[in-house]
Amino acid sequence: MIELVSAARCVTCDKCVAVCPTNVFDRGPDGVPVISRQQDCQTCFQCEANCPTDALFVAPQTHPLPAESFAHDEEHLRRTGLLGSYRRDIGWGRGRTPGAARAVGPALSPSGPPLIS
Amino acid sequence: MTLELDADVLVVGGGPAATWAALKAAEDGASVVLADKGYCGTSGATASGGTGVWYVPPEPESREKAMASREGLGGYLADRRWMARVLDETYDRVNELAEVARYPFPVGPDGAPLRNGLQGPEYMRRQRIRVRRAGVRILDHSPVTELLTTEDGVVAGAAGHQRQADRAFRVRSGAVVLATGGCAFLSKALGCDVNTGDGALFAAEVGAELSGMEFSNAYGIAPEHTSVTKTAFYNYATFYRADGSVLDGAGSQRGRSVIARTLLASEKVFCKLDRADEAARKAMRLAQPNFFLTFDRLGVDPFTQPFAVTLLAEGTVRGTGGIRIVDDGCATTVPGLYAAGDAATRELICGGFTGGGSHNAAWAMSSGSWSGRAAARFARALGPSAAQRPVRAAGGAGLRPTGATSSVSAAEVVSAVQAEVLPYDKNYLRHGDVLRTALGRLDGTWSAVRSGLRAEGAELVRARQAAAMVAHARWMYTSALARSESRGMAKRLDFPDLDPAQHFRITSGGLDEVWARPQEVAA
């Protein structure tokens, strides 16, 4: 579930508010999005993929994590490379190659084509 | 203030089928509104998950092999003519993605282009851009809550609630395409929580029929307490018990029921992708970056460290049941109403089984394109006064309760439905006695919804979702009980064998009175 909105990184572009398929965010009074309906988060990582400043972190767990969880420790997430890792892996963002162009996976059967999705 | 719009074609939904329908209707000269519950471009199973595509070059031998390969798995309920036209249409649409949408397909080790799959976020981002450029008016965060019909019962638009603008909206149109996806019962399977079967409810409320609703018990493997139900790489898995011994017979393609039985016995099931070699491990990351998000964030190396797994219900998202299609343009039995993608039955091309992805993706492109063109033609034939026709609202349960007081909440209804459709010993490993008991409870829940579920504004959307899920579950179990055999994914513990005498499809429908009956498969 969405666990972190970094006010320091956020540029108040409202993208996550717009793209969240389950309408989890509201715009806060200072423009920084607020996680208003965390229970509706479906852990799809779309907000992260669309955040231009890697200000969001979605934990893989489909239940809320306690306050002391790693998912709320922005410095830890930055240091370990987890912050923004999805956007990096799919090659979104300036100067990156779309992941789709590099998505040549293994072939699941000897005669089959490589998996590309 | 209600937002009032007119259009030739209204497309409900925002995933692949919806975007293809909107594009093709607009290319045909129709004015188009697309209303999505979430955000067109991120909504639905494909955008978040990614998908293989049933993309087969037009060489007779490859096509024959592609068609023959799944007939047995699907219980011989697919239709060769439909398979052939879906293969043709899909081939053209995928090539359109490459050439017009400039989707960056990768190139294989031999230098040949590869077009047999799509990365979800990239595919749907481009589809959104194309839809917008085609002049389609996109309404995001605008869940439709009911259809509008003329006095003669012809579908003539829809109404809903814009949840971010917090206002009602109404679109009067010459035709409506329902591309709202299947129903995964809010199981949190990847990208599926927007798929609550809304379209099937709307369709049934105007008298449309469903088909294949017994094929609705798909379950995807995911690491325990997580969402990523992408299963291809479990082909490299070995499954283990808690004590480290191998769980005999467990597997992804065959042997998922062994996992279910073990979980039902309150034992954990562990997994390692220990059959992937070094080259495969590297390549897997490139093909499915989202598959590895979960592991990287849990701090687990899935190739060397065991992780607990679960099975999440994917209902009719990876099942094949849905709104019944009656012609080549994906019309339903109700004039003015079309269905596409997972909202429609996929039995025509895969009978009673899909592994998800591949066939469903091909169906979304094909049925989306056909329904968009057909809806545009239907609207054009009505002439410019179509939007002036008097209409009435068709919605019932959760919207216009028959009782005077509010006696049940949407959350209570969702819990009640989930208790009957998520458990493996009810929906996955099906037995007639268990299905009948569950159906009895669901009928009771429906009565409670019909008389006492009421909501307004944004909560109305939750009420309608809850109603749609109850309806979906009742068509599923009524259809499952009507098939006293095992065929496709609709297996019955009390009837474990395929019965050649039941080589038919099962049509279903109804709301207060649910019905199911055999329907001959076209020769």
Side-chain angles (χ1 to χ4, degrees), chain B residues 288-310:
Chain B
Q288 296 189 359
N290 51 359
F291 180 79
F292 290 93
L293 274 182
T294 304
F295 300 110
D296 292 347
R297 292 172 186 208
L298 291 173
V300 168
D301 176 350
F303 301 114
T304 60
Q305 294 175 298
F307 55 93
V309 295
T310 188

Side-chain angles (χ1 to χ4, degrees), chain B residues 352-511:
Chain B
F353 181 87
T354 79
S358 182
H359 288 65
N360 289 5
W363 175 250
M365 290 177 188
S366 303
S367 62
S369 299
W370 292 327
S371 63
R373 293 188 196 112
R377 275 196 303 274
F378 185 92
R380 193 158 48 240
L382 290 174
S385 60
Q388 265 60 62
R389 293 175 294 173
V391 292
R392 56 185 173 205
L399 189 54
R400 296 182 184 88
T402 54
T405 55
S406 174
S407 53
V408 66
S409 74
E412 287 166 345
V413 173
V414 170
S415 298
V417 181
Q418 287 182 330
E420 302 307 325
V421 295
L422 299 185
Y424 313 138
D425 52 355
K426 292 187 181 180
N427 191 17
Y428 191 8
L429 309 168
R430 288 174 173 172
H431 189 288
D433 296 343
V434 179
L435 290 178
R436 272 182 287 273
T437 305
L439 184 56
R441 292 201 189 107
L442 290 162
D443 288 343
T445 303
W446 178 261
S447 300
V449 167
R450 198 66 197 87
S451 66
L453 178 63
R454 66 175 70 234
E456 285 174 14
E459 288 309 302
L460 170 60
V461 177
R462 291 186 197 270
R464 290 292 276 165
Q465 290 186 167
M469 286 191 278
V470 188
H472 222 78
R474 291 167 74 228
W475 296 316
M476 280 164 52
Y477 286 176
T478 304
S479 300
L481 285 164
R483 192 179 281 293
S484 53
E485 60 155 356
S486 288
R487 188 182 293 267
M489 69 168 63
K491 295 191 167 45
R492 289 270 300 264
L493 297 172
D494 44 345
F495 295 100
D497 300 318
L498 184 137
D499 171 12
Q502 297 186 49
H503 180 238
F504 43 66
R505 298 204 185 103
I506 291 176
T507 303
S508 59
L511 290 161

